[in-house]
Amino acid sequence: MNELRLAWEPENLTPLSSIEERMVLYTKGRGGIIILGNGTLLSLTKGDSDVEDAKKALDEARFITDFRVVHLKEGGYMVAFHDAVAVFVGHDEFEQMKEEILARQNELRFPGEVFFAPPNNQSAHTLIGLYARGKLQRDAYFFSFYKRI
């Protein structure tokens, strides 16, 4: 059986140290966030193994299709897929990749996936969300644990 995957799983361009700084700011040092190598953020309670818990969460999150994009006042975007799963997309990262995302947006959709929006209405939030979903997929299939803060 073939596994359902996106055709393009982009690599994170925002330095993980920058994402970490931002998450420390947002959590006011309380932590509780696992940062993965491609910009995925997991809000998981501390268990026996952060790595195994993150792998399990990603395995379950691979097929989440809905997303909500939040423009951050400090710059960049937080794309929420679930209460416990989000992806950070930096402002510069999106601006650098915008034309490629626009050109390759069909590769960021699952086969047969249809959006309930006018076809000529490609808002920035839709493009950011699709891009973030591709980053999430890359973290799921090419797992790389960065750290828990």
Side-chain angles (χ1 to χ4, degrees), residues 4-65:
L4 189 63
R5 287 190 62 177
L6 299 178
W8 181 34
E9 296 165 350
E11 292 185 49
N12 177 52
L13 300 179
T14 300
L16 294 175
S17 59
S18 296
I19 296 172
E20 178 183 359
E21 266 181 42
R22 188 71 68 85
M23 292 304 105
V24 168
L25 173 70
Y26 292 157
T27 62
K28 295 181 174 54
R30 290 187 306 269
I33 303 291
I34 293 173
I35 303 171
L36 300 177
N38 210 41
T40 299
L41 307 167
L42 303 173
S43 178
L44 303 175
T45 55
K46 183 76 173 142
D48 292 334
S49 169
D50 287 338
V51 171
E52 291 307 314
D53 292 345
K55 284 180 180 178
K56 182 179 178 189
L58 281 180
D59 190 51
E60 294 173 9
R62 285 182 299 155
F63 303 115
I64 296 175
T65 57

Side-chain angles (χ1 to χ4, degrees), residues 4-145:
L4 189 63
R5 287 190 62 177
L6 299 178
W8 181 34
E9 296 165 350
E11 292 185 49
N12 177 52
L13 300 179
T14 300
L16 294 175
S17 59
S18 296
I19 296 172
E20 178 183 359
E21 266 181 42
R22 188 71 68 85
M23 292 304 105
V24 168
L25 173 70
Y26 292 157
T27 62
K28 295 181 174 54
R30 290 187 306 269
I33 303 291
I34 293 173
I35 303 171
L36 300 177
N38 210 41
T40 299
L41 307 167
L42 303 173
S43 178
L44 303 175
T45 55
K46 183 76 173 142
D48 292 334
S49 169
D50 287 338
V51 171
E52 291 307 314
D53 292 345
K55 284 180 180 178
K56 182 179 178 189
L58 281 180
D59 190 51
E60 294 173 9
R62 285 182 299 155
F63 303 115
I64 296 175
T65 57
D66 293 337
F67 54 81
R68 184 172 54 89
V69 177
V70 177
H71 185 250
L72 303 171
K73 67 180 179 178
E74 296 83 9
Y77 308 89
M78 188 72 65
V79 182
F81 294 92
H82 180 277
D83 290 344
V85 181
V87 173
F88 184 87
V89 176
H91 172 78
D92 293 341
E93 176 181 15
F94 176 65
E95 290 302 318
Q96 180 180 336
M97 295 300 296
K98 191 176 194 174
E99 291 305 315
E100 186 172 1
I101 297 166
L102 193 56
R104 298 180 71 180
Q105 63 185 303
N106 287 335
E107 296 176 59
L108 294 168
R109 296 176 192 225
F110 290 109
E113 182 176 26
V114 177
F115 277 39
F116 296 101
N120 295 329
N121 180 14
Q122 296 304 318
S123 75
H125 278 205
T126 299
L127 297 175
I128 293 163
L130 287 171
Y131 178 73
R133 188 168 71 178
K135 289 176 61 171
L136 170 66
Q137 293 293 305
R138 186 169 197 81
D139 263 331
Y141 290 103
F142 301 98
F143 184 82
S144 173
F145 185 88

